[in-house]
Amino acid sequence: MSHGPSASGGALVAAAPHGHDHAPYTPVFTAGSARRAELDALITRYPTKMAALLPALWMVQEERGWIAPEAMSEVASVLDLTAAYVKGVVTFYTMYHQHPVGRHFIQVCTTSPCLCAGADKVVDSFLEHTGCKELGVTSPDGKFTVIEVECLGACGFATPVQINADYVENVTPEKVPAILAGLK
Amino acid sequence: MTAPMVNLTIEGRAVAVPAGTTILEAAKVAGVLVPHYCYHPGLPVAGVCRMCLVEVEKMPKLAPSCATTVGEGQVVHVYSEKALEARKGVLELLLINHPLDCPICDQSGECELQDYTFAEGRADSRYREPKRFNPVEDFGGDVMYVPNRCILCTRCVRFMDDLAHDEALCVQERGDRASIGKATEKDLTHPWAANVVDLCPVGALLSKDFLNKARAWELDRTASVCPNCAQGCNTIVETRDNVVMRFKPRTNTEVNQYFLCDEGRLDYRWLNRADRATQPMIDGVLADWEEAIHAAARLAKGATVRLVANASLSNEALYLLKRAFGPGVITVRTGAEAPLPGASDLALRADRAANATGAEWMGYRRVSAPLEGLGAGDVLVIADHDLTGVSAEAVSRAKAVIVIGTQVPAAVTAPNVVLPIANMAEEEGTFTNLRGRVQRFLQAKAAPGMARPSWFVLADLATQLGQPAVHFTAGAVFDALAKAEGAFAGLSYDTVALKGKLAAGATAGARA
């Protein structure tokens, strides 16, 4: 069974403390900041502030790596929404992280065609070589989190793997160490 | 301007309702209850549960009756095969992740999922897979959330958003993982938040106060009025074995709609106090009622009487006290006003007393120091007043003290006469709320020991004091009161009934 990265009911366990993720939350959209300017410019393109919610959340995730409850409150106040509403949206979409994840977020496609092509072995290889051991668990060095995802839309290039925003195609278990070595 | 009437047929019954009415509400007029979960008359329509699907002739699909307005000539079938089949399907899906833990669920017996499944659901389950599990969550205030039982009707979310204006809740996650979420820094401590427990059609939102205390079917229910502030929300007092277990709101669109504030609903334990005055006493010695009434009358006759009355006594008691002793003084405990912003003119009122309006209409004076200026030769009559903040020394200035109450106040060390009376849950009567609405409450439990209803005791006492008041029921007292007191003119106990009536005093310059 595969779970999105945000699946509270699934295998995802909050990562072990590492780096900045458990530090007190630092606001993203402070007055005069570049992100604030970016968001303000974006808001002008929509009829309502509410419409800028998804991009605002993406900005938070890019800056902080995940969307903390404090971030929901910050976004809510910036966009004149309620924290409860923002929470509803954050939890609805599986691509917003509700827990800290590794710097390299590795999503392996395990939908039927990829599974036929051996995607489960690819998953095992990633879990072993990253040191994550389990799906959804961040590696002790804080670098990696591996999850299974549903169709990445690259069935012709099984098995595709999405690492943060980039696709790596035709991945086999043997290629995994080289792929990981190429990540900073 | 009234809306034009629309004629339609529901389950073969012709009904005429104002244009714009929903089919679900029109069906109520026809005497048909369409099963529903997300719909609630006090909340905005959501249309998410699909339980109220009905068949409307000439409509291509089944219609959600909560969100479909009536049309001229419509023919609605609530119990057609197609409608029943659809609702059976909805119920089956709702029960997929429902734990069916009715034997340990507080909602059991008053659960709409139970009721509709019994009425229209499948006899068995085809679902064999493991059910979803999420742990119980404390939502703060008086509310506990059991996500496994939740059917995601969103009544609670809409109440917090649209009535309380305190957006604490949302639907979190999606699909089969969805549940009610609480914003991290929020909780259900809004003064009206516990209404979500009443609104929840299943056992997902429970009162922590009532948790595991009683089963719904063990409770006796009595129409009453909340005695804890001047709003006068209509309530149902629920008792078991002569003990008040909880207050629930009773619908009255003129006063409290469907709601009851947390402070009001949770402040019921004083009705169950065990340290009550239960026996008539004369100088600390048990007496029978006849003797005690005579003793009290002898003390008061010809004396200067200081009457200190509880502002939550019934109109009837206050009227008879006035007849016996002339109007006295009241004190009113006050607190912060807490409105329910989404409802009009509904708040936990600053005056935390049920009947200050009625008392003031009858000439009682609101004071802060009830014993101020008490003369050495005066007779002090304490009418169910607790004398908070009054010293025993101040009381001892009185020549004699007559306590007519549920308790003997701590400041009264040696009462000359004690006449034990019933509290508001043990008698019937009326209160006048801050808008001048006279409302009846009924007897929910028996009074302890030899305590008698206040109107019964006071009618005897007034008679002994030369003010003949021969009444055999609380209603007769009220009708006499309505004749004697201009503010209540034109009312009768029968017309006040269970929804209350605005009194003449309400229009003639009652307090705002």
mmCIF file of all heavy atoms in Angstrom, chain A residues 2-4 6-9 69 73 82-85 87-89 91-94 98, chain B residues 133-134 137 161 167-177 181-186:
data_model
loop_
_atom_site.group_PDB
_atom_site.id
_atom_site.type_symbol
_atom_site.label_atom_id
_atom_site.label_comp_id
_atom_site.label_asym_id
_atom_site.label_seq_id
_atom_site.Cartn_x
_atom_site.Cartn_y
_atom_site.Cartn_z
ATOM 1 N N SER A 2 0.607 2.124 -0.890
ATOM 2 C CA SER A 2 1.465 3.308 -0.936
ATOM 3 C C SER A 2 0.767 4.482 -0.289
ATOM 4 O O SER A 2 -0.449 4.588 -0.305
ATOM 5 C CB SER A 2 1.856 3.621 -2.371
ATOM 6 O OG SER A 2 1.094 4.683 -2.868
ATOM 7 N N HIS A 3 1.560 5.306 0.292
ATOM 8 C CA HIS A 3 1.012 6.471 0.964
ATOM 9 C C HIS A 3 1.683 7.713 0.439
ATOM 10 O O HIS A 3 2.866 7.711 0.160
ATOM 11 C CB HIS A 3 1.264 6.396 2.470
ATOM 12 C CG HIS A 3 0.434 5.365 3.131
ATOM 13 N ND1 HIS A 3 -0.884 5.574 3.433
ATOM 14 C CD2 HIS A 3 0.710 4.111 3.508
ATOM 15 C CE1 HIS A 3 -1.367 4.493 4.007
ATOM 16 N NE2 HIS A 3 -0.426 3.589 4.060
ATOM 17 N N GLY A 4 0.934 8.748 0.345
ATOM 18 C CA GLY A 4 1.530 10.030 0.016
ATOM 19 C C GLY A 4 2.423 10.445 1.164
ATOM 20 O O GLY A 4 2.331 9.889 2.261
ATOM 21 N N SER A 6 2.217 12.797 2.985
ATOM 22 C CA SER A 6 1.507 13.459 4.069
ATOM 23 C C SER A 6 0.590 12.512 4.818
ATOM 24 O O SER A 6 -0.170 12.922 5.651
ATOM 25 C CB SER A 6 0.671 14.614 3.512
ATOM 26 O OG SER A 6 1.480 15.459 2.760
ATOM 27 N N ALA A 7 0.674 11.242 4.478
ATOM 28 C CA ALA A 7 -0.313 10.319 5.019
ATOM 29 C C ALA A 7 -0.124 10.106 6.505
ATOM 30 O O ALA A 7 0.733 9.369 6.935
ATOM 31 C CB ALA A 7 -0.212 8.983 4.289
ATOM 32 N N SER A 8 -0.974 10.756 7.289
ATOM 33 C CA SER A 8 -0.840 10.608 8.731
ATOM 34 C C SER A 8 -1.243 9.216 9.166
ATOM 35 O O SER A 8 -0.789 8.712 10.178
ATOM 36 C CB SER A 8 -1.692 11.653 9.453
ATOM 37 O OG SER A 8 -3.046 11.441 9.159
ATOM 38 N N GLY A 9 -2.125 8.582 8.393
ATOM 39 C CA GLY A 9 -2.568 7.265 8.789
ATOM 40 C C GLY A 9 -1.637 6.179 8.279
ATOM 41 O O GLY A 9 -1.864 4.999 8.501
ATOM 42 N N PRO A 69 2.760 23.543 11.593
ATOM 43 C CA PRO A 69 1.514 24.205 12.019
ATOM 44 C C PRO A 69 1.668 25.726 12.098
ATOM 45 O O PRO A 69 0.759 26.474 11.747
ATOM 46 C CB PRO A 69 1.257 23.613 13.404
ATOM 47 C CG PRO A 69 1.930 22.292 13.387
ATOM 48 C CD PRO A 69 3.132 22.444 12.503
ATOM 49 N N SER A 73 -0.478 28.920 10.210
ATOM 50 C CA SER A 73 -0.986 30.153 10.822
ATOM 51 C C SER A 73 -0.430 31.376 10.103
ATOM 52 O O SER A 73 -1.144 32.354 9.879
ATOM 53 C CB SER A 73 -0.597 30.216 12.298
ATOM 54 O OG SER A 73 -1.107 29.101 12.969
ATOM 55 N N THR A 82 -8.340 31.407 7.681
ATOM 56 C CA THR A 82 -8.205 30.883 9.039
ATOM 57 C C THR A 82 -7.214 29.725 9.012
ATOM 58 O O THR A 82 -7.077 29.035 7.994
ATOM 59 C CB THR A 82 -9.547 30.371 9.582
ATOM 60 O OG1 THR A 82 -9.949 29.240 8.806
ATOM 61 C CG2 THR A 82 -10.609 31.457 9.503
ATOM 62 N N ALA A 83 -6.549 29.532 10.146
ATOM 63 C CA ALA A 83 -5.570 28.447 10.232
ATOM 64 C C ALA A 83 -6.234 27.101 9.970
ATOM 65 O O ALA A 83 -5.629 26.199 9.388
ATOM 66 C CB ALA A 83 -4.899 28.463 11.601
ATOM 67 N N ALA A 84 -7.488 26.964 10.386
ATOM 68 C CA ALA A 84 -8.201 25.704 10.180
ATOM 69 C C ALA A 84 -8.405 25.450 8.695
ATOM 70 O O ALA A 84 -8.242 24.326 8.203
ATOM 71 C CB ALA A 84 -9.543 25.728 10.906
ATOM 72 N N TYR A 85 -8.734 26.505 7.949
ATOM 73 C CA TYR A 85 -8.945 26.348 6.513
ATOM 74 C C TYR A 85 -7.639 25.932 5.842
ATOM 75 O O TYR A 85 -7.614 25.015 5.009
ATOM 76 C CB TYR A 85 -9.455 27.658 5.913
ATOM 77 C CG TYR A 85 -9.716 27.569 4.427
ATOM 78 C CD1 TYR A 85 -10.927 27.083 3.954
ATOM 79 C CD2 TYR A 85 -8.743 27.938 3.508
ATOM 80 C CE1 TYR A 85 -11.157 26.964 2.597
ATOM 81 C CE2 TYR A 85 -8.956 27.820 2.147
ATOM 82 C CZ TYR A 85 -10.165 27.341 1.691
ATOM 83 O OH TYR A 85 -10.388 27.219 0.349
ATOM 84 N N LYS A 87 -5.150 24.419 7.177
ATOM 85 C CA LYS A 87 -4.842 23.042 7.563
ATOM 86 C C LYS A 87 -5.608 22.061 6.678
ATOM 87 O O LYS A 87 -5.064 21.048 6.232
ATOM 88 C CB LYS A 87 -5.200 22.807 9.031
ATOM 89 C CG LYS A 87 -4.885 21.402 9.488
ATOM 90 C CD LYS A 87 -5.147 21.205 10.965
ATOM 91 C CE LYS A 87 -4.690 19.815 11.393
ATOM 92 N NZ LYS A 87 -4.815 19.599 12.834
ATOM 93 N N GLY A 88 -6.881 22.382 6.418
ATOM 94 C CA GLY A 88 -7.688 21.529 5.546
ATOM 95 C C GLY A 88 -7.057 21.377 4.172
ATOM 96 O O GLY A 88 -7.029 20.283 3.602
ATOM 97 N N VAL A 89 -6.523 22.472 3.649
ATOM 98 C CA VAL A 89 -5.908 22.434 2.317
ATOM 99 C C VAL A 89 -4.580 21.690 2.349
ATOM 100 O O VAL A 89 -4.311 20.818 1.514
ATOM 101 C CB VAL A 89 -5.725 23.870 1.772
ATOM 102 C CG1 VAL A 89 -4.912 23.857 0.487
ATOM 103 C CG2 VAL A 89 -7.079 24.524 1.546
ATOM 104 N N THR A 91 -3.552 19.413 4.341
ATOM 105 C CA THR A 91 -3.702 17.977 4.545
ATOM 106 C C THR A 91 -4.395 17.301 3.371
ATOM 107 O O THR A 91 -4.244 16.110 3.172
ATOM 108 C CB THR A 91 -4.491 17.685 5.836
ATOM 109 O OG1 THR A 91 -5.748 18.370 5.763
ATOM 110 C CG2 THR A 91 -3.726 18.144 7.057
ATOM 111 N N PHE A 92 -5.144 18.068 2.590
ATOM 112 C CA PHE A 92 -5.840 17.487 1.440
ATOM 113 C C PHE A 92 -4.837 17.024 0.399
ATOM 114 O O PHE A 92 -4.959 15.941 -0.176
ATOM 115 C CB PHE A 92 -6.784 18.524 0.834
ATOM 116 C CG PHE A 92 -7.585 18.011 -0.329
ATOM 117 C CD1 PHE A 92 -8.831 17.454 -0.124
ATOM 118 C CD2 PHE A 92 -7.096 18.084 -1.624
ATOM 119 C CE1 PHE A 92 -9.583 16.978 -1.184
ATOM 120 C CE2 PHE A 92 -7.838 17.604 -2.697
ATOM 121 C CZ PHE A 92 -9.084 17.047 -2.469
ATOM 122 N N TYR A 93 -3.822 17.854 0.160
ATOM 123 C CA TYR A 93 -2.849 17.550 -0.894
ATOM 124 C C TYR A 93 -1.683 16.762 -0.326
ATOM 125 O O TYR A 93 -1.083 17.151 0.667
ATOM 126 C CB TYR A 93 -2.350 18.847 -1.531
ATOM 127 C CG TYR A 93 -3.438 19.572 -2.279
ATOM 128 C CD1 TYR A 93 -4.027 20.702 -1.764
ATOM 129 C CD2 TYR A 93 -3.900 19.075 -3.499
ATOM 130 C CE1 TYR A 93 -5.043 21.353 -2.446
ATOM 131 C CE2 TYR A 93 -4.911 19.715 -4.191
ATOM 132 C CZ TYR A 93 -5.479 20.858 -3.655
ATOM 133 O OH TYR A 93 -6.482 21.482 -4.330
ATOM 134 N N THR A 94 -1.348 15.654 -0.979
ATOM 135 C CA THR A 94 -0.300 14.781 -0.435
ATOM 136 C C THR A 94 1.102 15.334 -0.678
ATOM 137 O O THR A 94 2.054 14.854 -0.084
ATOM 138 C CB THR A 94 -0.390 13.387 -1.063
ATOM 139 O OG1 THR A 94 -0.348 13.527 -2.481
ATOM 140 C CG2 THR A 94 -1.664 12.696 -0.660
ATOM 141 N N GLN A 98 3.792 17.422 5.895
ATOM 142 C CA GLN A 98 3.363 17.854 7.221
ATOM 143 C C GLN A 98 4.377 17.478 8.281
ATOM 144 O O GLN A 98 4.150 17.667 9.471
ATOM 145 C CB GLN A 98 2.019 17.219 7.565
ATOM 146 C CG GLN A 98 0.905 17.713 6.674
ATOM 147 C CD GLN A 98 -0.354 16.883 6.875
ATOM 148 O OE1 GLN A 98 -0.882 16.816 7.962
ATOM 149 N NE2 GLN A 98 -0.805 16.248 5.824
ATOM 150 N N PHE B 133 -8.410 3.215 11.514
ATOM 151 C CA PHE B 133 -8.366 3.568 12.936
ATOM 152 C C PHE B 133 -7.625 4.873 13.149
ATOM 153 O O PHE B 133 -6.543 5.083 12.631
ATOM 154 C CB PHE B 133 -7.693 2.478 13.769
ATOM 155 C CG PHE B 133 -7.602 2.854 15.221
ATOM 156 C CD1 PHE B 133 -8.678 2.644 16.061
ATOM 157 C CD2 PHE B 133 -6.478 3.481 15.728
ATOM 158 C CE1 PHE B 133 -8.634 3.030 17.397
ATOM 159 C CE2 PHE B 133 -6.422 3.875 17.060
ATOM 160 C CZ PHE B 133 -7.502 3.636 17.889
ATOM 161 N N ASN B 134 -8.204 5.757 13.905
ATOM 162 C CA ASN B 134 -7.536 6.980 14.342
ATOM 163 C C ASN B 134 -7.805 7.154 15.824
ATOM 164 O O ASN B 134 -8.911 6.861 16.292
ATOM 165 C CB ASN B 134 -8.064 8.208 13.597
ATOM 166 C CG ASN B 134 -7.495 8.298 12.197
ATOM 167 O OD1 ASN B 134 -6.295 8.230 12.005
ATOM 168 N ND2 ASN B 134 -8.367 8.429 11.220
ATOM 169 N N GLU B 137 -9.229 12.211 20.087
ATOM 170 C CA GLU B 137 -8.532 13.478 20.258
ATOM 171 C C GLU B 137 -9.346 14.392 21.181
ATOM 172 O O GLU B 137 -10.567 14.455 21.074
ATOM 173 C CB GLU B 137 -8.355 14.143 18.890
ATOM 174 C CG GLU B 137 -7.420 15.328 18.924
ATOM 175 C CD GLU B 137 -7.216 15.948 17.533
ATOM 176 O OE1 GLU B 137 -7.481 15.283 16.511
ATOM 177 O OE2 GLU B 137 -6.806 17.102 17.487
ATOM 178 N N ASP B 161 -17.682 27.872 12.263
ATOM 179 C CA ASP B 161 -17.442 28.940 11.282
ATOM 180 C C ASP B 161 -18.577 29.964 11.275
ATOM 181 O O ASP B 161 -18.346 31.162 11.355
ATOM 182 C CB ASP B 161 -17.313 28.345 9.868
ATOM 183 C CG ASP B 161 -15.995 27.630 9.671
ATOM 184 O OD1 ASP B 161 -15.195 27.593 10.628
ATOM 185 O OD2 ASP B 161 -15.757 27.098 8.572
ATOM 186 N N GLU B 167 -13.203 29.966 13.889
ATOM 187 C CA GLU B 167 -12.920 28.903 12.919
ATOM 188 C C GLU B 167 -11.839 27.974 13.425
ATOM 189 O O GLU B 167 -10.672 28.101 13.073
ATOM 190 C CB GLU B 167 -12.536 29.507 11.568
ATOM 191 C CG GLU B 167 -13.633 30.340 10.922
ATOM 192 C CD GLU B 167 -13.658 31.788 11.390
ATOM 193 O OE1 GLU B 167 -12.953 32.110 12.375
ATOM 194 O OE2 GLU B 167 -14.371 32.600 10.793
ATOM 195 N N ALA B 168 -12.237 27.021 14.247
ATOM 196 C CA ALA B 168 -11.263 26.119 14.857
ATOM 197 C C ALA B 168 -11.166 24.799 14.105
ATOM 198 O O ALA B 168 -10.173 24.092 14.213
ATOM 199 C CB ALA B 168 -11.637 25.856 16.314
ATOM 200 N N LEU B 169 -12.215 24.457 13.363
ATOM 201 C CA LEU B 169 -12.284 23.115 12.791
ATOM 202 C C LEU B 169 -12.226 23.134 11.270
ATOM 203 O O LEU B 169 -12.568 24.121 10.625
ATOM 204 C CB LEU B 169 -13.580 22.420 13.228
ATOM 205 C CG LEU B 169 -13.792 22.257 14.734
ATOM 206 C CD1 LEU B 169 -15.108 21.554 15.003
ATOM 207 C CD2 LEU B 169 -12.642 21.496 15.366
ATOM 208 N N CYS B 170 -11.788 22.008 10.703
ATOM 209 C CA CYS B 170 -11.791 21.844 9.243
ATOM 210 C C CYS B 170 -11.913 20.359 8.947
ATOM 211 O O CYS B 170 -11.836 19.527 9.844
ATOM 212 C CB CYS B 170 -10.499 22.388 8.637
ATOM 213 S SG CYS B 170 -9.028 21.459 9.105
ATOM 214 N N VAL B 171 -12.139 20.044 7.681
ATOM 215 C CA VAL B 171 -12.020 18.653 7.256
ATOM 216 C C VAL B 171 -10.574 18.477 6.829
ATOM 217 O O VAL B 171 -10.100 19.184 5.944
ATOM 218 C CB VAL B 171 -12.966 18.325 6.092
ATOM 219 C CG1 VAL B 171 -12.741 16.885 5.637
ATOM 220 C CG2 VAL B 171 -14.401 18.532 6.512
ATOM 221 N N GLN B 172 -9.855 17.591 7.498
ATOM 222 C CA GLN B 172 -8.454 17.390 7.127
ATOM 223 C C GLN B 172 -8.298 16.080 6.365
ATOM 224 O O GLN B 172 -9.116 15.197 6.455
ATOM 225 C CB GLN B 172 -7.554 17.405 8.356
ATOM 226 C CG GLN B 172 -7.827 16.251 9.315
ATOM 227 C CD GLN B 172 -6.948 16.295 10.538
ATOM 228 O OE1 GLN B 172 -6.194 17.236 10.728
ATOM 229 N NE2 GLN B 172 -7.044 15.274 11.368
ATOM 230 N N GLU B 173 -7.185 15.978 5.610
ATOM 231 C CA GLU B 173 -6.919 14.840 4.742
ATOM 232 C C GLU B 173 -8.031 14.735 3.699
ATOM 233 O O GLU B 173 -8.828 15.660 3.524
ATOM 234 C CB GLU B 173 -6.775 13.548 5.547
ATOM 235 C CG GLU B 173 -5.717 13.622 6.640
ATOM 236 C CD GLU B 173 -4.306 13.379 6.140
ATOM 237 O OE1 GLU B 173 -4.153 12.805 5.048
ATOM 238 O OE2 GLU B 173 -3.349 13.791 6.812
ATOM 239 N N ARG B 174 -8.084 13.612 2.996
ATOM 240 C CA ARG B 174 -9.102 13.488 1.963
ATOM 241 C C ARG B 174 -9.452 12.025 1.749
ATOM 242 O O ARG B 174 -8.751 11.133 2.218
ATOM 243 C CB ARG B 174 -8.607 14.094 0.653
ATOM 244 C CG ARG B 174 -7.493 13.301 0.038
ATOM 245 C CD ARG B 174 -7.008 13.984 -1.229
ATOM 246 N NE ARG B 174 -6.006 13.159 -1.896
ATOM 247 C CZ ARG B 174 -5.143 13.627 -2.789
ATOM 248 N NH1 ARG B 174 -5.155 14.893 -3.141
ATOM 249 N NH2 ARG B 174 -4.276 12.829 -3.358
ATOM 250 N N GLY B 175 -10.529 11.832 1.030
ATOM 251 C CA GLY B 175 -10.968 10.481 0.702
ATOM 252 C C GLY B 175 -11.174 9.654 1.952
ATOM 253 O O GLY B 175 -11.759 10.123 2.923
ATOM 254 N N ASP B 176 -10.656 8.424 1.934
ATOM 255 C CA ASP B 176 -10.916 7.540 3.067
ATOM 256 C C ASP B 176 -10.072 7.886 4.283
ATOM 257 O O ASP B 176 -10.195 7.264 5.325
ATOM 258 C CB ASP B 176 -10.708 6.073 2.664
ATOM 259 C CG ASP B 176 -9.249 5.748 2.435
ATOM 260 O OD1 ASP B 176 -8.487 6.684 2.107
ATOM 261 O OD2 ASP B 176 -8.872 4.566 2.589
ATOM 262 N N ARG B 177 -9.179 8.888 4.160
ATOM 263 C CA ARG B 177 -8.389 9.284 5.318
ATOM 264 C C ARG B 177 -8.966 10.514 6.002
ATOM 265 O O ARG B 177 -8.468 10.962 7.025
ATOM 266 C CB ARG B 177 -6.952 9.589 4.893
ATOM 267 C CG ARG B 177 -6.158 8.360 4.493
ATOM 268 C CD ARG B 177 -4.665 8.636 4.657
ATOM 269 N NE ARG B 177 -4.211 9.685 3.775
ATOM 270 C CZ ARG B 177 -3.643 9.476 2.582
ATOM 271 N NH1 ARG B 177 -3.476 8.244 2.152
ATOM 272 N NH2 ARG B 177 -3.240 10.484 1.846
ATOM 273 N N GLY B 181 -10.417 18.043 11.556
ATOM 274 C CA GLY B 181 -9.150 18.531 12.095
ATOM 275 C C GLY B 181 -9.367 19.794 12.891
ATOM 276 O O GLY B 181 -10.331 20.529 12.685
ATOM 277 N N LYS B 182 -8.450 20.015 13.825
ATOM 278 C CA LYS B 182 -8.502 21.208 14.652
ATOM 279 C C LYS B 182 -7.240 22.000 14.383
ATOM 280 O O LYS B 182 -6.149 21.444 14.408
ATOM 281 C CB LYS B 182 -8.566 20.785 16.118
ATOM 282 C CG LYS B 182 -8.705 21.914 17.092
ATOM 283 C CD LYS B 182 -8.810 21.368 18.506
ATOM 284 C CE LYS B 182 -7.505 20.752 18.989
ATOM 285 N NZ LYS B 182 -6.411 21.728 19.076
ATOM 286 N N ALA B 183 -7.392 23.281 14.103
ATOM 287 C CA ALA B 183 -6.210 24.113 13.899
ATOM 288 C C ALA B 183 -5.339 24.041 15.145
ATOM 289 O O ALA B 183 -5.848 24.044 16.268
ATOM 290 C CB ALA B 183 -6.610 25.554 13.615
ATOM 291 N N THR B 184 -4.037 23.946 14.935
ATOM 292 C CA THR B 184 -3.129 23.613 16.037
ATOM 293 C C THR B 184 -3.297 24.501 17.265
ATOM 294 O O THR B 184 -3.376 24.018 18.381
ATOM 295 C CB THR B 184 -1.673 23.680 15.551
ATOM 296 O OG1 THR B 184 -1.593 22.911 14.362
ATOM 297 C CG2 THR B 184 -0.726 23.130 16.588
ATOM 298 N N GLU B 185 -3.350 25.810 17.041
ATOM 299 C CA GLU B 185 -3.373 26.685 18.209
ATOM 300 C C GLU B 185 -4.795 26.981 18.692
ATOM 301 O O GLU B 185 -4.991 27.754 19.619
ATOM 302 C CB GLU B 185 -2.623 27.990 17.909
ATOM 303 C CG GLU B 185 -3.369 28.973 17.039
ATOM 304 C CD GLU B 185 -3.356 28.635 15.565
ATOM 305 O OE1 GLU B 185 -3.117 27.445 15.210
ATOM 306 O OE2 GLU B 185 -3.608 29.522 14.759
ATOM 307 N N LYS B 186 -5.782 26.341 18.087
ATOM 308 C CA LYS B 186 -7.177 26.571 18.476
ATOM 309 C C LYS B 186 -7.699 25.393 19.296
ATOM 310 O O LYS B 186 -7.166 24.285 19.227
ATOM 311 C CB LYS B 186 -8.045 26.692 17.220
ATOM 312 C CG LYS B 186 -7.806 27.959 16.428
ATOM 313 C CD LYS B 186 -8.783 28.991 16.870
ATOM 314 C CE LYS B 186 -8.856 30.138 15.879
ATOM 315 N NZ LYS B 186 -9.820 31.125 16.353
#
